[in-house]
Amino acid sequence: MDARVKPAPDELSNVTFVSLAMPVPPLRLGVNVDHVATLRNARGGRNPDPVRAALLAIEAGADGITAHLREDRRHIRDEDMARLKAEISKPLNFEMAATDDMLRISLATRPHAVCLVPERRQEVTTEGGLDVVGQHNALAPFIARLNDANIRVSLFIAADPAQIEMAARLRAPVIEIHTGGWCDAVVDGHTDKAEAEWQRIVAGARLARAAGLEVHAGHGLDYVTAEKISALPEIVELNIGYYMMGEALFVGLAETVRSMRAAMDRGRSKA
């Protein structure tokens, strides 16, 4: 039949339509144990132990563990990373700055994944996404070294089209969308800003997936925001730490992990 000729109604009854809808992928929960180490370091010594927290989180349903080895070692320490790699049964996501020292440590540790993040000594927590557009010349060989070592590279970036497109050009297989601006606006009750940030995340996740990137998200997520973002089918992993460690003080870490997992499952059911 000529493609330009519209079929008659009775002809349509013989046409088989194939659904192009793709199944929604499972959603993973990565638990960040940095602030267990923050509490330990407040007085020194060995307790509370972030590795013990990681093992408990995995037992309660976490799909992986995230830990950020900062240059100033304010929470996670080198020996924590070595023990996490040796003792946990789930993937280890090694957050770090793109420095020669961190590259050396990551190649020695051989985590499942490395998430490259911006880092300033003065900041209390990570304040924004990595500027992969401005730093692409420095990041390209760094990412290549990790790729060659079969370590999955994730870039922690804002949901900005230019940053996402550069991440794809740099051959980083994964991005993690910085959700801090959206989460802060939600908590502060800034409705218009929260909606604008949310729409930026939605568009960014779609663009990244269309570019062939695996999409993760994290920073500032709580039960409410985790449930909402879980409904985005493009996102396959959430990395959450500070909020969960705060909740764990009141109800225990295992219960917190189970409650976060339940919130994510409720959101995913709407995808």
Side-chain angles (χ1 to χ4, degrees), residues 225-243:
T225 48
E227 180 172 342
K228 181 167 183 174
I229 203 168
S230 295
L232 297 184
E234 296 84 6
I235 293 177
V236 299
E237 181 173 306
L238 300 181
N239 286 297
I240 310 172
Y242 185 78
Y243 176 80

Side-chain angles (χ1 to χ4, degrees), residues 174-185:
V174 183
I175 65 163
E176 181 169 332
I177 294 176
H178 187 301
T179 56
W182 170 56
C183 293
D184 289 346

Side-chain angles (χ1 to χ4, degrees), residues 136-256:
H136 69 279
N137 288 337
L139 289 171
F142 201 96
I143 293 169
R145 287 285 304 278
L146 293 167
N147 283 339
D148 289 344
N150 293 318
I151 298 172
R152 297 194 78 200
V153 181
S154 175
L155 300 178
F156 187 65
I157 61 175
D160 175 76
Q163 301 292 344
I164 292 167
E165 289 162 6
M166 181 57 72
R169 289 174 57 189
L170 286 168
R171 296 182 55 242
V174 183
I175 65 163
E176 181 169 332
I177 294 176
H178 187 301
T179 56
W182 170 56
C183 293
D184 289 346
V186 170
V187 170
D188 294 339
H190 298 156
T191 306
D192 291 345
K193 182 178 179 182
E195 180 60 21
E197 289 291 333
W198 171 248
Q199 292 303 326
R200 196 160 71 116
I201 290 169
V202 171
R206 290 173 179 166
L207 176 62
R209 190 69 197 94
L213 296 165
E214 182 172 303
V215 188
H216 302 176
H219 202 80
L221 294 168
D222 58 18
Y223 294 139
V224 173
T225 48
E227 180 172 342
K228 181 167 183 174
I229 203 168
S230 295
L232 297 184
E234 296 84 6
I235 293 177
V236 299
E237 181 173 306
L238 300 181
N239 286 297
I240 310 172
Y242 185 78
Y243 176 80
M244 294 181 68
M245 297 309 145
E247 285 293 295
L249 293 174
F250 304 102
V251 300
L253 182 55
E255 180 60 29
T256 301

Side-chain angles (χ1 to χ4, degrees), residues 31-270:
V31 174
N32 187 311
V33 296
D34 289 356
H35 295 295
V36 177
T38 300
L39 185 58
R40 174 197 63 193
N41 295 353
R43 291 188 63 174
R46 297 182 179 180
N47 295 307
D49 180 10
V51 178
R52 182 182 178 189
L55 293 169
L56 182 59
I58 289 169
E59 184 179 353
D63 300 294
I65 298 298
T66 293
H68 183 178
L69 184 64
R70 281 182 170 266
E71 293 180 88
D72 62 8
R73 308 307 197 264
R74 69 175 64 170
H75 37 60
I76 293 295
R77 299 171 179 165
D78 300 60
E79 59 267 27
D80 296 326
M81 297 305 300
R83 288 182 58 218
L84 284 166
K85 179 58 169 65
E87 296 185 35
I88 68 173
S89 60
K90 295 289 187 176
L92 174 61
N93 179 32
F94 187 156
E95 287 189 348
M96 67 186 204
T99 68
D100 290 340
D101 185 42
M102 289 298 155
L103 179 61
R104 175 186 60 79
I105 295 170
S106 65
L107 291 175
T109 305
R110 312 288 290 193
H112 171 76
V114 159
C115 183
L116 298 179
V117 302
E119 189 173 309
R120 293 191 311 112
R121 295 288 178 92
Q122 301 89 345
E123 67 187 3
V124 175
T125 185
T126 306
E127 295 175 344
L130 189 67
D131 180 12
V132 297
V133 173
Q135 300 176 39
H136 69 279
N137 288 337
L139 289 171
F142 201 96
I143 293 169
R145 287 285 304 278
L146 293 167
N147 283 339
D148 289 344
N150 293 318
I151 298 172
R152 297 194 78 200
V153 181
S154 175
L155 300 178
F156 187 65
I157 61 175
D160 175 76
Q163 301 292 344
I164 292 167
E165 289 162 6
M166 181 57 72
R169 289 174 57 189
L170 286 168
R171 296 182 55 242
V174 183
I175 65 163
E176 181 169 332
I177 294 176
H178 187 301
T179 56
W182 170 56
C183 293
D184 289 346
V186 170
V187 170
D188 294 339
H190 298 156
T191 306
D192 291 345
K193 182 178 179 182
E195 180 60 21
E197 289 291 333
W198 171 248
Q199 292 303 326
R200 196 160 71 116
I201 290 169
V202 171
R206 290 173 179 166
L207 176 62
R209 190 69 197 94
L213 296 165
E214 182 172 303
V215 188
H216 302 176
H219 202 80
L221 294 168
D222 58 18
Y223 294 139
V224 173
T225 48
E227 180 172 342
K228 181 167 183 174
I229 203 168
S230 295
L232 297 184
E234 296 84 6
I235 293 177
V236 299
E237 181 173 306
L238 300 181
N239 286 297
I240 310 172
Y242 185 78
Y243 176 80
M244 294 181 68
M245 297 309 145
E247 285 293 295
L249 293 174
F250 304 102
V251 300
L253 182 55
E255 180 60 29
T256 301
V257 171
R258 288 191 288 266
S259 294
M260 185 59 74
R261 180 75 261 176
M264 291 166 58
D265 289 345
R266 288 194 300 271
R268 203 56 161 187
S269 69
K270 303 169 187 174

